[in-house]
Amino acid sequence: MRPVTVRTIKIGEGRPKICVPIVEAEKEGILAQAAALRGLPLDMAEWRADWYQDVQDISRVVDTVRELRKVLGDLPLLFTIRTAAEGGAVKMAAEAYAELCAAVARSGYADLIDVEVFTARETAEDIVREVHRAGAKVVASNHDFHKTPPKEELLRRFRHMEALGADIWKIAVMPQNGRDVLTLLDATLTMTEAEDCSPVISMSMAALGAVSRLSGEVFGSAVTFAAAGRASAPGQISVDKMSEMLDILRI
Protein backbone atom coordinates (compact mmCIF):
# COMPACT_ATOMS: atom_id res chain seq x y z
CA MET A 1 0.00 0.00 0.00
CA ARG A 2 1.24 3.51 -0.84
CA PRO A 3 0.80 5.70 2.27
CA VAL A 4 -0.67 9.18 1.84
CA THR A 5 1.02 11.86 3.94
CA VAL A 6 -1.30 14.48 5.42
CA ARG A 7 0.40 16.98 7.71
CA THR A 8 1.82 14.92 10.58
CA ILE A 9 0.36 11.50 9.71
CA LYS A 10 0.81 8.80 7.10
CA ILE A 11 -2.50 7.24 6.15
CA GLY A 12 -1.96 3.61 5.16
CA GLU A 13 0.98 3.00 7.47
CA GLY A 14 0.93 1.45 10.94
CA ARG A 15 -2.13 1.46 13.17
CA PRO A 16 -5.37 2.61 11.51
CA LYS A 17 -5.78 6.34 11.98
CA ILE A 18 -8.70 7.44 14.15
CA CYS A 19 -10.92 10.13 12.63
CA VAL A 20 -13.56 11.90 14.73
CA PRO A 21 -16.47 13.62 12.94
CA ILE A 22 -17.69 17.08 13.94
CA VAL A 23 -21.48 17.04 13.62
CA GLU A 24 -23.17 20.30 14.63
CA ALA A 25 -25.65 22.67 12.98
CA GLU A 26 -24.32 26.07 14.10
CA LYS A 27 -20.87 27.61 13.72
CA GLU A 28 -20.45 28.08 17.46
CA GLY A 29 -21.22 24.42 18.11
CA ILE A 30 -18.85 23.29 15.37
CA LEU A 31 -15.97 25.27 16.82
CA ALA A 32 -16.81 24.18 20.37
CA GLN A 33 -16.81 20.52 19.38
CA ALA A 34 -13.49 21.01 17.59
CA ALA A 35 -11.99 22.58 20.72
CA ALA A 36 -13.25 19.63 22.78
CA LEU A 37 -11.14 17.27 20.66
CA ARG A 38 -7.93 18.55 22.25
CA GLY A 39 -6.33 15.87 24.35
CA LEU A 40 -8.36 13.02 22.85
CA PRO A 41 -6.57 10.07 21.19
CA LEU A 42 -7.38 10.89 17.56
CA ASP A 43 -5.31 11.37 14.44
CA MET A 44 -7.61 13.50 12.30
CA ALA A 45 -10.97 15.27 12.33
CA GLU A 46 -13.83 15.30 9.84
CA TRP A 47 -16.20 18.22 9.43
CA ARG A 48 -19.55 16.84 8.36
CA ALA A 49 -20.65 20.06 6.72
CA ASP A 50 -23.95 18.57 5.56
CA TRP A 51 -25.19 19.16 9.12
CA TYR A 52 -24.24 22.85 8.97
CA GLN A 53 -27.30 25.12 8.74
CA ASP A 54 -25.53 27.39 6.21
CA VAL A 55 -24.05 24.64 4.04
CA GLN A 56 -25.66 26.10 0.90
CA ASP A 57 -23.74 29.39 1.39
CA ILE A 58 -20.19 28.95 0.06
CA SER A 59 -18.80 32.08 1.71
CA ARG A 60 -20.08 31.01 5.14
CA VAL A 61 -18.76 27.48 4.70
CA VAL A 62 -15.31 28.78 3.78
CA ASP A 63 -15.40 31.22 6.70
CA THR A 64 -16.31 28.41 9.10
CA VAL A 65 -13.63 26.05 7.79
CA ARG A 66 -11.11 28.86 8.22
CA GLU A 67 -12.10 29.24 11.88
CA LEU A 68 -12.10 25.48 12.26
CA ARG A 69 -8.51 25.33 11.03
CA LYS A 70 -7.46 27.82 13.72
CA VAL A 71 -9.02 25.67 16.42
CA LEU A 72 -7.65 22.36 15.13
CA GLY A 73 -4.11 23.64 14.66
CA ASP A 74 -2.04 21.04 12.81
CA LEU A 75 -4.63 18.25 13.13
CA PRO A 76 -5.50 16.94 9.64
CA LEU A 77 -9.02 17.90 8.51
CA LEU A 78 -11.33 15.99 6.19
CA PHE A 79 -14.17 18.06 4.70
CA THR A 80 -17.32 16.10 3.94
CA ILE A 81 -20.72 16.92 2.50
CA ARG A 82 -22.64 13.68 2.94
CA THR A 83 -25.68 13.98 0.71
CA ALA A 84 -29.08 12.52 1.48
CA ALA A 85 -28.57 10.00 -1.32
CA GLU A 86 -25.75 8.43 0.71
CA GLY A 87 -27.23 8.77 4.19
CA GLY A 88 -26.35 12.41 4.88
CA ALA A 89 -28.30 15.42 6.03
CA VAL A 90 -28.58 17.60 2.92
CA LYS A 91 -29.93 17.52 -0.62
CA MET A 92 -27.74 19.47 -3.00
CA ALA A 93 -27.66 19.93 -6.76
CA ALA A 94 -24.66 18.38 -8.50
CA GLU A 95 -23.30 21.74 -9.64
CA ALA A 96 -23.55 23.25 -6.16
CA TYR A 97 -21.90 20.18 -4.63
CA ALA A 98 -18.98 20.38 -7.07
CA GLU A 99 -18.58 24.13 -6.57
CA LEU A 100 -18.55 23.84 -2.78
CA CYS A 101 -16.00 21.00 -2.73
CA ALA A 102 -13.71 22.96 -5.04
CA ALA A 103 -14.09 26.19 -3.05
CA VAL A 104 -13.14 24.52 0.23
CA ALA A 105 -10.16 22.84 -1.43
CA ARG A 106 -8.99 26.16 -2.86
CA SER A 107 -9.27 27.80 0.57
CA GLY A 108 -6.37 25.65 1.79
CA TYR A 109 -7.97 25.05 5.19
CA ALA A 110 -9.04 21.42 4.60
CA ASP A 111 -6.44 18.76 3.87
CA LEU A 112 -8.78 16.16 2.37
CA ILE A 113 -12.07 16.49 0.51
CA ASP A 114 -14.62 13.67 0.50
CA VAL A 115 -16.10 13.15 -2.97
CA GLU A 116 -19.14 10.91 -3.49
CA VAL A 117 -17.96 9.59 -6.82
CA PHE A 118 -21.11 7.62 -7.66
CA THR A 119 -23.72 10.14 -6.52
CA ALA A 120 -21.73 12.92 -8.22
CA ARG A 121 -21.08 10.61 -11.16
CA GLU A 122 -21.15 13.18 -13.98
CA THR A 123 -19.00 15.73 -12.16
CA ALA A 124 -16.76 13.42 -10.09
CA GLU A 125 -13.80 13.54 -12.46
CA ASP A 126 -13.92 17.34 -12.59
CA ILE A 127 -14.15 17.59 -8.78
CA VAL A 128 -11.15 15.30 -8.31
CA ARG A 129 -9.14 17.36 -10.77
CA GLU A 130 -10.10 20.67 -9.11
CA VAL A 131 -9.31 19.40 -5.61
CA HIS A 132 -5.90 18.17 -6.73
CA ARG A 133 -5.22 21.43 -8.53
CA ALA A 134 -5.87 23.21 -5.23
CA GLY A 135 -3.33 21.00 -3.46
CA ALA A 136 -5.75 18.93 -1.34
CA LYS A 137 -6.20 15.15 -1.29
CA VAL A 138 -9.34 13.32 -2.43
CA VAL A 139 -11.16 10.66 -0.42
CA ALA A 140 -13.43 8.99 -2.98
CA SER A 141 -16.42 7.60 -1.12
CA ASN A 142 -19.46 5.40 -1.54
CA HIS A 143 -22.09 4.51 1.08
CA ASP A 144 -24.88 1.94 1.02
CA PHE A 145 -27.14 2.16 4.07
CA HIS A 146 -29.38 -0.68 2.86
CA LYS A 147 -27.19 -3.65 1.95
CA THR A 148 -23.75 -5.09 1.30
CA PRO A 149 -23.10 -5.62 -2.42
CA PRO A 150 -21.26 -8.77 -3.57
CA LYS A 151 -17.47 -8.78 -3.38
CA GLU A 152 -17.00 -8.28 -7.13
CA GLU A 153 -19.19 -5.19 -7.05
CA LEU A 154 -17.23 -3.76 -4.12
CA LEU A 155 -14.00 -4.37 -6.04
CA ARG A 156 -15.48 -2.69 -9.11
CA ARG A 157 -16.30 0.39 -7.05
CA PHE A 158 -12.81 0.53 -5.56
CA ARG A 159 -11.28 0.24 -9.03
CA HIS A 160 -13.49 3.04 -10.32
CA MET A 161 -12.14 5.25 -7.52
CA GLU A 162 -8.64 4.26 -8.55
CA ALA A 163 -9.36 5.12 -12.19
CA LEU A 164 -10.55 8.58 -11.16
CA GLY A 165 -7.20 9.23 -9.50
CA ALA A 166 -8.50 9.55 -5.94
CA ASP A 167 -5.84 9.43 -3.22
CA ILE A 168 -7.88 7.33 -0.76
CA TRP A 169 -10.79 4.97 -1.49
CA LYS A 170 -13.66 4.61 0.98
CA ILE A 171 -16.67 2.28 1.03
CA ALA A 172 -19.21 1.87 3.86
CA VAL A 173 -22.00 -0.70 3.67
CA MET A 174 -24.83 -2.08 5.79
CA PRO A 175 -24.64 -5.77 6.75
CA GLN A 176 -27.68 -8.00 6.98
CA ASN A 177 -25.76 -10.91 8.49
CA GLY A 178 -22.28 -11.99 9.50
CA ARG A 179 -21.35 -13.12 5.99
CA ASP A 180 -21.94 -9.58 4.73
CA VAL A 181 -19.27 -8.40 7.17
CA LEU A 182 -16.90 -11.06 5.84
CA THR A 183 -17.65 -9.93 2.28
CA LEU A 184 -16.62 -6.36 3.09
CA LEU A 185 -13.44 -7.52 4.87
CA ASP A 186 -12.56 -9.90 2.04
CA ALA A 187 -12.93 -7.18 -0.59
CA THR A 188 -10.79 -4.81 1.49
CA LEU A 189 -8.02 -7.38 1.89
CA THR A 190 -8.10 -8.25 -1.81
CA MET A 191 -7.62 -4.61 -2.78
CA THR A 192 -4.88 -3.87 -0.28
CA GLU A 193 -2.83 -6.98 -1.09
CA ALA A 194 -1.63 -5.18 -4.22
CA GLU A 195 1.64 -3.32 -3.60
CA ASP A 196 0.57 -0.27 -5.61
CA CYS A 197 -2.80 0.10 -3.84
CA SER A 198 -3.77 3.48 -2.43
CA PRO A 199 -5.04 3.57 1.17
CA VAL A 200 -8.47 2.03 1.57
CA ILE A 201 -11.09 2.92 4.17
CA SER A 202 -13.87 0.40 4.60
CA MET A 203 -16.49 -0.33 7.21
CA SER A 204 -19.50 -2.51 7.78
CA MET A 205 -21.98 -0.37 9.70
CA ALA A 206 -24.21 -0.86 12.76
CA ALA A 207 -23.46 -3.13 15.73
CA LEU A 208 -23.18 -6.19 13.48
CA GLY A 209 -20.32 -4.63 11.57
CA ALA A 210 -18.46 -3.09 14.53
CA VAL A 211 -15.63 -5.62 14.20
CA SER A 212 -14.75 -4.06 10.82
CA ARG A 213 -14.00 -0.76 12.58
CA LEU A 214 -11.44 -2.49 14.79
CA SER A 215 -9.70 -4.88 12.42
CA GLY A 216 -8.27 -2.48 9.86
CA GLU A 217 -4.65 -3.36 10.55
CA VAL A 218 -5.40 -7.01 9.71
CA PHE A 219 -7.64 -6.53 6.67
CA GLY A 220 -6.28 -3.26 5.30
CA SER A 221 -8.62 -0.41 6.25
CA ALA A 222 -6.37 2.59 6.92
CA VAL A 223 -8.80 4.85 8.84
CA THR A 224 -11.53 4.16 11.36
CA PHE A 225 -14.18 6.64 12.47
CA ALA A 226 -14.97 7.10 16.16
CA ALA A 227 -17.33 9.37 18.06
CA ALA A 228 -16.67 12.19 20.51
CA GLY A 229 -20.23 13.26 21.23
CA ARG A 230 -22.78 12.72 18.46
CA ALA A 231 -21.99 9.84 16.10
CA SER A 232 -22.18 10.44 12.35
CA ALA A 233 -23.01 6.84 11.39
CA PRO A 234 -24.49 3.75 13.03
CA GLY A 235 -21.98 1.59 14.89
CA GLN A 236 -19.39 4.24 15.73
CA ILE A 237 -17.47 3.56 18.93
CA SER A 238 -16.29 6.30 21.29
CA VAL A 239 -12.81 7.60 20.49
CA ASP A 240 -11.37 6.61 23.87
CA LYS A 241 -12.63 3.03 23.58
CA MET A 242 -11.53 2.85 19.96
CA SER A 243 -7.97 3.86 20.78
CA GLU A 244 -7.82 1.41 23.68
CA MET A 245 -9.14 -1.49 21.61
CA LEU A 246 -6.79 -0.79 18.70
CA ASP A 247 -3.87 -0.86 21.13
CA ILE A 248 -5.09 -4.14 22.65
CA LEU A 249 -5.37 -5.73 19.21
CA ARG A 250 -1.79 -4.64 18.41
CA ILE A 251 -0.54 -6.37 21.57
Side-chain angles (χ1 to χ4, degrees):
M1 186 184 299
R2 299 187 304 265
V4 170
T5 300
V6 182
R7 292 185 181 262
T8 59
I9 66 173
K10 284 190 175 182
I11 299 173
E13 182 175 281
R15 194 181 86 161
K17 304 304 180 284
I18 299 176
C19 182
V20 173
I22 297 170
V23 185
E24 294 290 340
E26 298 181 353
K27 180 178 178 179
E28 292 74 13
I30 292 165
L31 299 180
Q33 188 176 3
L37 297 180
R38 294 175 186 144
L40 295 179
L42 72 157
D43 301 289
M44 53 192 291
E46 176 188 37
W47 180 26
R48 279 288 302 272
D50 51 297
W51 285 90
Y52 182 37
Q53 62 184 11
D54 294 318
V55 67
Q56 304 283 359
D57 187 321
I58 290 180
S59 63
R60 292 191 178 185
V61 172
V62 171
D63 177 67
T64 299
V65 78
R66 180 178 64 248
E67 295 299 316
L68 194 53
R69 168 51 60 204
K70 292 178 183 177
V71 175
L72 294 175
D74 205 34
L75 190 70
L77 175 61
L78 167 63
F79 175 82
T80 299
I81 307 165
R82 184 67 61 239
T83 66
E86 299 209 19
V90 67
K91 292 183 179 180
M92 185 174 289
E95 296 78 9
Y97 176 86
E99 188 177 357
L100 184 52
C101 288
V104 171
R106 287 193 297 267
S107 76
Y109 300 121
D111 305 291
L112 306 113
I113 308 294
D114 181 291
V115 180
E116 295 178 349
V117 295
F118 292 96
T119 297
R121 189 181 303 273
E122 295 181 359
T123 57
E125 187 173 354
D126 291 337
I127 299 173
V128 171
R129 182 171 55 251
E130 287 300 314
V131 170
H132 282 159
R133 187 176 295 165
K137 301 288 196 305
V138 172
V139 177
S141 70
N142 176 241
H143 302 75
D144 192 327
F145 277 75
H146 304 288
K147 65 184 184 305
T148 298
K151 177 184 175 180
E152 286 307 314
E153 173 59 18
L154 293 173
L155 295 178
R156 185 193 71 80
R157 295 180 189 185
F158 277 132
R159 289 170 183 142
H160 179 66
M161 296 172 181
E162 178 182 20
L164 286 174
D167 303 281
I168 299 171
W169 316 330
K170 177 190 177 190
I171 290 181
V173 293
M174 185 64 72
Q176 301 301 320
N177 50 57
R179 291 200 175 276
D180 279 350
V181 181
L182 290 176
T183 296
L184 183 278
L185 294 175
D186 188 17
T188 303
L189 183 59
T190 297
M191 287 302 301
T192 56
E193 283 175 332
E195 291 184 5
D196 61 345
C197 177
S198 291
V200 166
I201 303 172
S202 69
M203 66 207 69
S204 187
M205 293 183 282
L208 183 59
V211 64
S212 69
R213 297 180 181 274
L214 301 171
S215 57
E217 197 160 3
V218 176
F219 294 98
S221 182
V223 176
T224 187
F225 289 76
R230 181 188 299 178
S232 63
Q236 280 183 4
I237 300 166
S238 75
V239 62
D240 290 313
K241 289 182 179 179
M242 175 66 77
S243 181
E244 180 181 0
M245 286 188 281
L246 290 179
D247 284 341
I248 290 172
L249 288 174
R250 294 203 93 188
I251 294 171

